Amino acid sequence: MPQVPQTFDALAVRTWCGLALEALGRAREEIDAINVYPVADGDTGTNLYLTLESATAAVEAVFAGHEVGAGREAASGDEAGGGRETGGGRPTLADAVRAMAHGALIGARGNSGTILAQLLRGMAQVLAADSETAHTDGPGLRLALRQAADSARQAVAHPVEGTVLTVASAAADAATGAEGDCGSVARAAYEGARAALAATPRQLAVLERAGVVDAGGRGLVAVLGALVETFTGEAPRVLVGRAEVHARVAAAVTDVDIVGAGIGGVHPDVCGDGAPEEGGPAFEVIYLLEAEDTAVDRLRGRLDGLGDSLVVVGGDGLWNVHVHVDDAGAAVEAGVEAGRPYRIRITHFGLGDVHTGGPGRPPRERAQRAVVAVVPGEGLAGLYAEAGATTVLARPGEPPASGELVEAVRRAHAREVVLLPNDAELRHTAAAAAEQARADGVRVALIPTRSAVQGIAALAVHEPERRFDEDVVAMTSAAGATRYAEVAVAERQSWTMAGICQAGDVLGLIDGDVAVIGSDITTTAESVLDRMLSAGGEMVTLVLGDEAPDAIAERLESRVREGYLAVDTVVYRGGRQGALLLIGVE
């Protein structure tokens, strides 16, 4: 048996996140299939997976950062002849759990994901606390599970029994009575959660009528099972297998009226008290919010009057807000009054949801073909959307995870999907997403675009009416025939293909490699453009970032017009895209 951690340290956090992500990945479809509360939109498993994927990525980033730092210290020590000790490049427990909680907070999806984020934050508050007694043993884990359950319950405006909150409380109660190390406490919490989950149908009429357990609680049991495996090396037995889940759902179909089909397959026409729903909120609104505690208290009251399923989690100036409302604009405006909302996501529950579907209305028909593209800025997102693409926004330093790409493919709701990652670093992420989508029955073609300008070229020749293979070949050829470049500012001293750059230097990258180092943005851009056009070209595409000089587009257009015959130029505004300027030459 491989060695397992005996105390809750940073490595244990990393192991737990990885195992929990794997467990939710295996159970995602099962959990989606039994999702009937608070809205039967069949996405609880997916939302939990995406939330934990964000938490896991944050923990991995902390470990990577410490490993790089340790390597630099070692190199510095060698140069000085000291051979200093670097500490092994491992973060502290506080570093790891804070990263986990922050990653979950900023990546939380849906009602269940938002509650999971608060559960992880509650644990982090204990495990990372500054005190004379380190909370790294069994008693510390008991305290962490108690704080997790209590803080999650406090974050929900109107807690309902028979949900993940009940399962979390039962896990904490069971852990309180456990003695021994972290493994013993984790196992007690898991068994308590399992028992509570099995009882959820007796507490919530909608679950009993559908013949299922609570989906969010099922996800939490999977996460706690991973905690047991972290400290014992043994995975506890799975509570509910896929065959049993689908058998339960199939049996429930005989007792309810089906009003549509969504991600999970079947949607019982029931609401929280077991009675038919006559029209609840139509929109789910989620956003991150930078605001003071007092402003958030007022926001809770305002949103509580607008809708239901209100969950506000976070603290220390950063919050994740989730609510179901009919007036999505009012929910966002309330956030603006409280502070600075961003990463705003508004989802219409749509046809097939218990709130907006109606008897006799058919499920929404799948489109034949769609394009899903990762874009680096709001301006390009609008451009791609106007061309008919489903977009995933990648902010600087925050690349999307594979789960977000899978979610976008599902949102596109098509039989055939062309996936444009638009970033060489996203190649493996996009490949994983494509495999997952194929497992869901979608025909996916991944075109390895390395820049958004290559994606623009591919999208320009996209013709949904022609055969899928022919369309993919044409789009791939257009992307491959487009050379790409970007102009950016160096953040630190570094060795490059063009020599050593200093922090603040202007870099011109062509096809991913630094080709020009300069001090002036426009002059560097002109040099990059000249190099690209020296090999020929018929079309120049310029995508300007928010911080690009006002006159740069006019200067570059004039240079092309005066120096290169029969070459056209098109200019787009990319918004906050990271690079000052993107250039494409076809």
Side-chain angles (χ1 to χ4, degrees):
M1 180 185 299
Q3 185 177 5
V4 296
Q6 300 301 309
T7 60
F8 219 132
D9 58 10
L11 184 59
V13 175
R14 186 187 203 181
T15 302
W16 180 33
C17 286
L19 291 173
L21 188 63
E22 291 176 6
L24 287 176
R26 292 190 298 269
R28 181 187 60 78
E29 291 182 3
E30 299 173 7
I31 297 171
D32 282 346
I34 62 173
N35 172 202
V36 298
Y37 183 85
V39 175
D41 47 358
D43 63 357
T44 291
T46 300
N47 287 336
L48 288 170
Y49 181 87
L50 292 174
T51 301
L52 196 59
E53 185 177 47
S54 181
T56 303
V59 172
E60 290 298 326
V62 166
F63 269 84
H66 277 74
E67 288 165 2
V68 170
R72 288 176 178 168
E73 286 184 20
S76 176
D78 289 344
E79 290 176 6
R84 294 178 301 177
E85 193 70 36
T86 65
R90 182 179 297 178
T92 65
L93 171 62
D95 291 334
V97 294
R98 285 171 182 154
M100 173 186 71
H102 181 73
L105 178 68
I106 65 174
R109 299 298 184 91
N111 186 73
S112 55
T114 308
I115 293 174
L116 176 61
Q118 189 66 7
L119 288 167
L120 296 179
R121 177 179 171 81
M123 293 190 69
Q125 288 173 331
V126 172
L127 296 173
D130 295 326
S131 64
E132 295 181 1
T133 304
H135 299 302
T136 61
D137 54 5
L141 180 55
R142 290 201 302 264
L143 290 174
L145 290 168
R146 179 80 274 160
Q147 176 64 17
D150 292 346
S151 62
R153 188 171 288 270
Q154 292 166 6
V156 178
H158 302 285
V160 175
E161 298 306 326
T163 65
V164 63
L165 297 177
T166 305
V167 176
S169 294
D173 292 342
T176 300
E179 299 293 338
D181 59 12
C182 288
S184 299
V185 173
R187 190 175 295 279
Y190 173 77
E191 295 297 339
R194 284 182 65 246
L197 178 63
T200 55
R202 297 194 296 272
Q203 295 174 293
L204 202 54
V206 62
L207 302 178
E208 184 176 29
R209 184 173 177 180
V212 297
V213 296
D214 179 67
R218 170 68 179 91
L220 179 58
V221 168
V223 173
L224 290 173
L227 186 63
V228 174
E229 186 175 0
T230 298
F231 289 110
T232 68
E234 299 176 357
R237 65 187 181 87
V238 177
L239 173 67
V240 182
R242 177 175 305 196
E244 185 176 350
V245 168
H246 288 292
R248 288 182 179 181
V249 175
V253 172
T254 63
D255 298 325
V256 298
D257 296 324
I258 303 302
V259 298
I263 297 174
V266 294
H267 290 162
D269 185 17
V270 291
C271 67
D273 59 1
E277 180 70 63
E278 288 295 337
F283 296 96
E284 178 183 61
V285 178
I286 304 175
Y287 50 80
L288 291 178
L289 178 70
E290 294 178 356
E292 299 296 329
D293 291 7
T294 53
V296 172
D297 289 339
R298 293 192 297 270
L299 175 66
R300 282 192 174 99
R302 174 87 180 273
L303 293 178
D304 196 24
L306 290 176
D308 59 29
S309 296
L310 173 60
V311 185
V312 181
V313 304
D316 301 321
L318 180 62
W319 308 83
N320 190 305
V321 179
H322 169 280
V323 67
H324 294 172
V325 293
D326 279 322
D327 190 344
V332 176
E333 288 172 7
V336 172
E337 292 176 5
R340 187 179 80 87
Y342 61 104
R343 284 199 185 181
I344 301 168
R345 297 173 56 85
I346 300 174
T347 303
H348 194 293
F349 288 123
L351 187 60
D353 169 62
V354 293
H355 288 326
T356 56
R361 294 174 67 179
R364 180 163 66 98
E365 182 67 24
R366 283 184 177 271
Q368 180 59 35
R369 189 174 308 159
V371 176
V372 172
V374 180
V375 292
E378 294 87 348
L380 280 178
L383 173 67
Y384 272 74
E386 288 177 6
T390 297
T391 61
V392 177
L393 191 60
R395 291 173 177 80
E398 299 178 8
S402 62
E404 293 180 77
L405 301 189
V406 173
E407 184 186 40
V409 170
R410 292 183 179 132
R411 195 167 71 243
H413 202 62
R415 298 182 181 89
E416 302 168 339
V417 169
V418 180
L419 183 57
L420 306 175
N422 291 340
D423 186 339
E425 298 296 324
L426 290 178
R427 180 166 55 93
H428 296 300
T429 300
E435 284 301 314
Q436 179 61 58
R438 292 181 187 117
D440 291 344
V442 181
R443 187 181 186 189
V444 181
L446 171 60
I447 298 179
T449 48
R450 296 169 174 263
S451 170
V453 292
Q454 289 189 323
I456 292 172
L459 202 55
V461 300
H462 169 55
E463 291 185 13
E465 295 78 17
R466 63 184 165 198
R467 290 178 57 248
F468 185 63
D469 292 341
E470 293 177 354
D471 197 28
V472 171
V473 168
M475 295 175 72
T476 302
S477 297
T482 302
R483 298 188 68 198
Y484 64 96
E486 68 176 78
V487 176
V489 176
E491 296 181 355
R492 64 183 67 88
Q493 184 187 60
S494 180
W495 288 89
T496 76
M497 297 288 289
I500 300 176
C501 71
Q502 305 296 328
D505 283 348
V506 181
L507 306 180
L509 295 86
I510 299 177
D511 294 337
D513 292 323
V514 176
V516 180
I517 300 175
S519 58
D520 179 76
I521 295 172
T522 302
T523 302
T524 302
E526 288 176 332
S527 178
V528 169
L529 190 56
D530 286 341
R531 291 192 182 208
M532 296 180 75
L533 287 173
S534 65
E538 300 175 354
M539 169 74 76
V540 172
T541 299
L542 305 176
V543 183
L544 307 181
D546 275 349
E547 298 181 4
D550 294 336
I552 191 170
E554 184 178 345
R555 283 273 298 272
L556 295 177
E557 284 184 285
S558 175
R559 192 175 190 87
V560 172
R561 186 170 54 251
E562 295 172 3
Y564 303 93
L565 298 177
V567 177
D568 296 322
T569 304
V570 60
V571 180
Y572 300 111
R573 296 282 175 178
R576 293 173 293 177
Q577 61 184 22
L580 297 169
L581 174 69
L582 300 178
I583 304 174
V585 174
E586 302 175 44

